[in-house]
Amino acid sequence: VAFSYVFFRDYFDKTVKTPDDIEKESTKVLAWIPKFEHKIDKSKKYSEIFVGGNSEAAAGESYRTLRTRIQFSKLAEGGKSILITSSAPQEGKTTVACNLAASFAQSNKKTILLDCDLRIPRVNEVFGGLKSPGFTNYLFKQVPFEDVLRKTDFENLNYIAAGTIPTNPSEILGSEQMKDFIEKLKAEFDVVIIDSPPVMTITDAEVLSHIVDMSILVVFAQKTEVDWLIEAANQLTSHGQKSFIGTVLNNFDYNSGYRSYNKYNHSKYYSRVDETKQKEWVQS
């Protein structure tokens, strides 16, 4: 009975579980973020930032791996703007965007994180700030640029909140003013990280993927279905788009029976690496 239960459960379970499941669909895996060892209290400021901290050392190292692989991608060719999206809600795209931005800042890159999720903006919550004024208020010429640019406690890292939510988000994100705004950010910063809504729910992320240098899809292990992965990747590569560079597998459980990955789950090793990497932060 137990064997039959496991067999049928696996047979009908069509979710992504390992990096191999993603690569089977001819989609590149840039990095995998391990499942958190402890429950994260998202109501606390900076609780979702693992780069440079003592908690979730393996996750912090995974974000540095992601940063390195992006650096050897289009970033080396002069690309600066990176879009982070997912197939569906609650797959961790905002957490990935914030930690990737922190990782670039840690490597002495002047980094800006822009919240373009005009449906459920959350970047300001991660950094303990207000949602408004944000970039929409700047686009509508309600406030100057200096009023929407916000510093964080991390050297080289700034962010811009979403701002007042308009009635036509997709039109705003696809406007010439938006394109000019992203170009302005690219001129003033080394790296521009953009958090966007899920690509399969609304068109916002697909619109933005046309005006950024790189697009990355976040996939949540044991939640994102393979069909969602395929459809989301197709949307990011349709109409000749060339910004899509790969996926990030989030919430990957090294101990879930996939022996080939268990060798990466050494907490003592990651703790020592994390202690060393904290010294990367540039002191003012």
Side-chain angles (χ1 to χ4, degrees):
V1 172
F3 175 81
S4 299
Y5 169 77
V6 172
F7 174 80
F8 283 107
R9 183 195 63 184
D10 292 342
Y11 180 80
F12 289 106
D13 185 358
K14 303 300 182 181
T15 59
V16 174
K17 299 178 182 64
T18 72
D20 293 339
D21 294 335
I22 299 175
E23 292 179 344
K24 286 178 183 177
E25 305 304 327
S26 301
T27 303
K28 184 177 181 180
V29 180
L30 297 170
W32 47 81
I33 312 301
K35 186 176 183 178
F36 297 147
E37 296 180 4
H38 308 285
K39 184 176 178 59
I40 305 300
D41 184 359
K42 294 184 178 181
S43 65
K44 294 183 179 180
K45 183 178 180 180
Y46 298 139
S47 63
E48 295 175 68
I49 304 297
F50 311 113
V51 178
N54 292 320
S55 64
E56 303 296 340
E61 185 62 22
S62 295
Y63 284 115
R64 284 185 283 269
T65 298
L66 176 60
R67 176 192 73 195
T68 300
R69 290 175 180 170
I70 293 174
Q71 287 176 323
F72 285 98
S73 185
K74 291 186 178 181
L75 196 67
E77 301 173 4
K80 288 187 174 184
S81 54
I82 306 170
L83 175 71
I84 307 296
T85 187
S86 60
S87 61
Q90 298 183 341
E91 293 183 319
K93 64 176 181 59
T94 299
T95 302
V96 170
C98 292
N99 279 276
L100 180 60
S103 182
F104 273 113
Q106 190 182 51
S107 66
N108 204 25
K109 296 283 187 181
K110 188 179 179 183
T111 306
I112 183 72
L113 174 61
L114 175 62
D115 192 347
C116 284
D117 190 339
L118 298 181
R119 315 291 175 155
I120 310 176
R122 214 172 63 78
V123 167
N124 61 289
E125 295 178 2
V126 175
F127 293 98
L130 299 175
K131 182 180 67 177
S132 186
F135 84 90
T136 57
N137 303 99
Y138 171 76
L139 291 186
F140 295 144
K141 298 182 179 180
Q142 297 171 341
V143 293
F145 180 72
E146 292 74 18
D147 286 0
V148 300
L149 185 65
R150 300 175 187 175
K151 294 183 178 180
T152 70
D153 292 345
F154 304 111
E155 187 73 18
N156 298 317
L157 179 58
N158 294 269
Y159 78 94
I160 298 177
T164 304
I165 305 301
T167 57
N168 55 341
S170 297
E171 288 77 8
I172 296 298
L173 296 175
S175 66
E176 289 299 322
Q177 293 94 325
M178 187 66 193
K179 295 178 184 178
D180 293 341
F181 182 59
I182 291 179
E183 289 300 318
K184 173 181 174 62
L185 296 179
K186 289 168 64 175
E188 297 190 17
F189 294 89
D190 298 321
V191 180
V192 180
I193 307 293
I194 301 172
D195 182 27
S196 76
V199 69
M200 287 179 57
T201 55
I202 44 181
T203 61
D204 296 12
E206 186 175 353
V207 168
L208 285 168
S209 68
H210 286 275
I211 59 178
V212 297
D213 302 316
M214 291 165 273
S215 299
I216 295 175
L217 178 67
V218 176
V219 177
F220 200 86
Q222 301 188 47
K223 178 180 180 180
T224 304
E225 295 190 11
V226 174
D227 290 345
W228 301 356
L229 163 67
I230 296 172
E231 178 60 25
N234 286 339
Q235 290 189 34
L236 292 173
T237 55
S238 62
H239 308 295
Q241 297 176 125
K242 297 181 179 179
S243 64
F244 183 56
I245 62 172
T247 65
V248 173
L249 179 59
N250 197 15
N251 195 51
F252 176 43
D253 186 0
Y254 293 120
N255 297 315
S256 59
Y258 305 102
R259 296 182 181 179
S260 61
Y261 296 102
N262 284 340
K263 61 184 179 181
Y264 295 104
N265 190 23
H266 298 298
S267 58
K268 291 183 179 180
Y269 170 77
Y270 278 121
S271 297
R272 292 177 181 177
V273 170
D274 198 65
E275 290 172 2
T276 302
K277 290 295 183 178
Q278 287 184 54
K279 298 178 182 178
E280 288 186 3
W281 288 106
V282 178
Q283 302 296 324
S284 58

